[in-house]
Amino acid sequence: MPDLYPLISPLLRALPAEAAHRLTIRALASGLGSAGARRAEPDPPILKQILWGRDFPNPIGIAAGFDKDAEVPDALLRLGFGFAETGTVTPRPQPGNPKPRIFRLYNDRAVINRMGFNSRGLEPTLARLRARQRVGVVGVNLGKNRDSTDAAADYLAGVRRVGPLADYFVINVSSPNTPGLRDLQRREILEDLLRRLVAARDEAAPGTPLLVKIAPDLSPVERADIAALAGPSGIDGIVIANTTIARPVRLRSAAAGEQGGLSGGPLFAPSTALLREIYRLTQGKIPLVGVGGIASAADAYAKIRAGASLVQLYTALVFDGPALVGRLKRGLAELIARDGLASIADVVGADHVLASATPPPSRRQA
Ligand SMILES: Cc1cc2nc3c(=O)[nH]c(=O)nc-3n(C[C@H](O)[C@H](O)[C@H](O)COP(=O)(O)O)c2cc1C
């Protein structure tokens, strides 16, 4: 299948970011760009993995926010993603923040967004998930309505209503664009929230993995608290990380001063450092999903070595187009083979094994 993206990309670039995104979704929904892609190029077997009893043909997923209303999960799978995360979906429809609210930072290969959970609500997502054939892994990222006074009730409604239609759930307590949302990451609040959500999951969708998505801006204490909670809470994984309100590097693009969450290249280092730390703190006992700034096979490989069982991306797709997915998979398979490893599972957390095998400095000198 020829890569048509170089032809289309000047058009997308000329459009406002959100209009370009709508056009992309429409193109995917109409079958353009992905027809036959998967069949033409099967995934390298070395990338296969079974996690939570689900088959992942490759570890590269599309991150939440791209397909908020579950319009094109199967088209994204056909594009070559190993799994697709739809959402964030809120229980009731809501418009999100005023436009413009997505900004492309070409010189930084980054995006700033302050979408604010624009969502058509649970109903359309439910209808679309019900109508699809259950092939491939499709997760649902759940949020709360901006005007809701009971956050837990919103997430509980998501878990109960989406129930067995999701292959996994993500509880999004980390978007920077809904006031107060990130406070839910505080230990005493999160502990209670997760206990109730795990119980709801056990009732509505037993066996469906429940993950929590965290922010890259957590304090050291919050990081330790979340790691300590992970095991006892009964959750099945952590997605690391959402966009950042920090500006970790000096940005060079015209839109650098916009308010909102930053994603793409500048997020790679801080999100990977957080992933590495959470893997260490949880001793590799809980699967982690690494997301933030992945734009090459080397980036994806670095996240997996730091502790991710799966990875996701969004922003690099804006700059590089869908052919990136195939390049990442081929490159990742080559890197694994180069290092003499047999499967993705052998790579997960490999940096930590090496670090603990390295003798302390005093012995090294001897
Ligand atoms: C325009 C845009 C919208 C997003 N919307 C959501 C969302 O609704 N829910 C969510 O959990 N993350 C959302 N994200 C965050 C991404 O899922 C991801 O965590 C982040 O962008 C870092 O990955 P990246 O650098 O590959 O883009 C959004 C990101 C962007 C750029």
Side-chain angles (χ1 to χ4, degrees), residues 307-363:
S309 294
L310 299 167
V311 296
Q312 294 176 319
L313 61 95
Y314 181 163
T315 300
L317 210 57
V318 174
F319 298 108
D320 296 337
L324 174 66
V325 185
R327 285 203 296 277
L328 289 185
K329 291 191 291 187
R330 283 189 297 274
L332 199 51
E334 275 166 28
L335 288 168
I336 299 170
R338 180 202 67 185
D339 288 352
L341 300 168
S343 71
I344 286 283
D346 293 340
V347 185
V348 177
D351 285 352
H352 301 263
V353 177
L354 280 179
S356 61
T358 310
S362 55
R363 280 185 41 211

Side-chain angles (χ1 to χ4, degrees), residues 156-213:
L156 285 165
V159 169
R160 287 191 183 123
R161 298 192 55 207
V162 178
L165 295 170
D167 292 315
Y168 69 90
F169 296 109
V170 176
I171 305 305
N172 181 4
V173 285
S174 50
S175 277
N177 302 310
T178 295
L181 190 86
R182 286 166 306 143
D183 294 343
L184 299 172
Q185 294 171 112
R186 289 216 300 267
R187 184 175 186 143
E188 52 303 346
I189 302 177
L190 194 62
E191 197 164 12
D192 178 59
L193 178 66
L194 294 183
R195 190 180 43 73
R196 294 169 66 187
L197 285 168
V198 166
R201 183 277 313 268
D202 289 346
E203 232 181 270
T208 303
L210 186 78
L211 288 73
V212 178
K213 185 165 178 178

